[in-house]
Amino acid sequence: MTNSRISGFYKLSLDERLDALQKATDVDDETLGTLLTSGLLTTQQADKMVENVVATHNLPLGIGLNFKINGVDRLIPMVIEEPSVVAGASFMAKLARAGGGFFATTSAPEMIGQIQVLDVANIHSAKLAIYEKREELLAIADNIDPILKKLGGGARDIEVRVIENSPIGEFLVLHLIYDVRDAMGANAVNTACEKLAPHLEKITGGRVHLKILSNLSDKRMARTRCVIPVDALKFDDYVGELVRDGIIEAYAFAAADPYRAATHNKGIMNGVDAVVIATGNDWRAIEAGAHAYAAKDGKYTSLSTWGKNDEGNLVGTLEMPMAVGIVGGATKVHPTAQAALRLMQVKTASELAEIIVSIGLAQNLAALRALATEGIQRGHMSLHARQVAIAAGAGDEMVELVAAQMVSEGMVRIDRAEEILKEK
Ligand code: MEV
């Protein structure tokens, strides 16, 4: 059992945080040790992951606190270079807790593979000819991965689409719907598509061109919602109703305007990507899927919604494709990714997707709350000031001093940090 509420975590030293994590979870010491030891991916391991390796590259890993998702506390590892994200998500998770936490679901882990069929004599007849062979095609695709099949995955369906008005005119596209269970699934789906290609040529008399997974994985959705009691929103001179309505107005901006929606969704992705990266998943795939989904109705819009319920409490929702896995690829090879999964105690890719979508919603709320009240810079400033102090050459003992002075002066700049350092 995990307790995700660790008060004062941010004030502890690195060693004290390890102790606090140990007390908050029954996860083994090796996992915690791995998380707190940076640079554990060796160059030898990295050399097996990509080409031309000469080094590895580290990023900060912080713990998202206070999360309760579907009634279960989760400590969430977040890998990110940007200040305020971990703190913002944790704080909003605390507010959401007061409303029961996050309530998340996922659809079946079904990915879409695309096969482009060109040079077909009669496109509509070819389309129906493919449907006539549906069972046969599914059986062929189903057999490419016996392990996946044993685990309950496999080919589920086909859909045939006519693409009109492309620069080369009309052509056919077959969508292969494939249940990939706990994998991200790209390899299984791409292999299945390649396997089907010659059969499609035979059925249609056409020429198969591309055979590749779609990152608009809108059959593999993650959804979450939260209720924030209006009283939990009040702070300083801001009454809860004002904060709530400000958040709803901020959401309306993103819902109606693509320029704002891009930034709004970027805030969601701050939380999402941090966990996707921590678990060794493909964040470009998640980004591509998210933004394509945000534009699926022809106009790019907000991935989340914010409104109020009958009691006047703030209600948030987020729905997005979530093609993440917990087996295979970097997830398997990278020791920190393995430790991250163990810390969250996830047993399935769906559970991971539910955590990720919830952290996205929390992060979105953190940004909107700040923007709708005191502005984003205030919260950013103290951490930013620390980074500026380090960049100006402040050693461990001077960072806090220099940063605090710059914040109190309202001037966070590298030249000022250098001056302060000289004065001290
Ligand atoms: C910054 O990384 C993210 C925000 O711009 C998101 C938003 O504007 O909603 C603060």
Side-chain angles (χ1 to χ4, degrees), residues 80 82-83 85 260 262-268 270 363-364 366-368 370-371 376 380:
I80 188 153
E82 183 174 329
V85 171
R260 172 59 204 149
T263 326
H264 175 101
N265 290 342
K266 191 272 181 182
I268 293 172
N270 276 346
Q363 192 53 46
N364 182 219
L368 297 190
L371 289 166
I376 208 78
H380 257 299

Side-chain angles (χ1 to χ4, degrees), residues 314-329:
L314 181 69
V315 181
T317 69
L318 175 59
E319 298 182 61
M320 59 188 292
M322 194 55 71
V324 287
I326 60 167
V327 293

